[in-house]
Amino acid sequence: MIEVLATALVVVALVAAAWSLVLAVANRPITLATKPTLGLAGVVVLLEVGLLAQLVAGVVAAVGTDRELDTPTFIGYLVGVAVVLPLGAFWSLAERSRWGAGVLAVACLSVPVMVLRLNQLWAGHG
C-alpha cells in the first residue's frame, strides 16, 4: 500500500465530510448550482480519483505480493471504498433536503474507516 496516498485520502475525506456537515447544519441541500456545493463536488471528485488510484495500486500490490494476505477481503475493501463515495454522492444529489449533505458526510466518513481497515489487512493485523 502507498502510505502517502492513504494519508492524503483520509485528510481529503475528512475535509469533504466537514464541508458536508457544515452544509447540513446550514440547511443547504447538495446541488450543482451553487458555489459551495460546486467546490465540495470538486473535492469529492478529487477524492474519488485518489480512491481509484488506490484501487489499481492495491490490486497490483495484492497480486504481486508473497506476503500472507486475505486477498479477497483486501480487494473487496478496495472496491467497496471506491464505490461507496459515488453512491453517496448520487444519493445526496437526489435528496433535496439538508439530509442530502448528511448522506454525503456519512459516505465521506466511511472512507477513512475503510482505508484504516485496508492498512490493517495489508500489515497482516486482520
Side-chain angles (χ1 to χ4, degrees), residues 20-109:
S20 299
L21 287 173
V22 167
L23 291 174
V25 169
N27 201 16
R28 307 259 327 247
I30 300 289
T31 66
L32 295 179
T34 63
K35 285 185 181 180
T37 55
L38 273 178
L40 177 58
V43 172
V44 169
V45 168
L46 175 69
L47 180 58
E48 183 61 24
V49 168
L51 291 171
L52 292 174
Q54 181 184 33
L55 171 64
V56 171
V59 169
V60 168
V63 170
T65 190
D66 58 351
R67 70 173 54 204
E68 188 173 322
L69 177 68
D70 185 0
T71 305
T73 302
F74 184 75
I75 291 175
Y77 270 96
L78 285 168
V79 171
V81 73
V83 168
V84 73
L85 190 61
L87 290 176
F90 285 124
W91 184 359
S92 72
L93 286 170
E95 178 61 50
R96 293 293 179 191
S97 70
R98 73 189 314 170
W99 299 112
V103 167
L104 187 57
V106 170
C108 290
L109 287 173

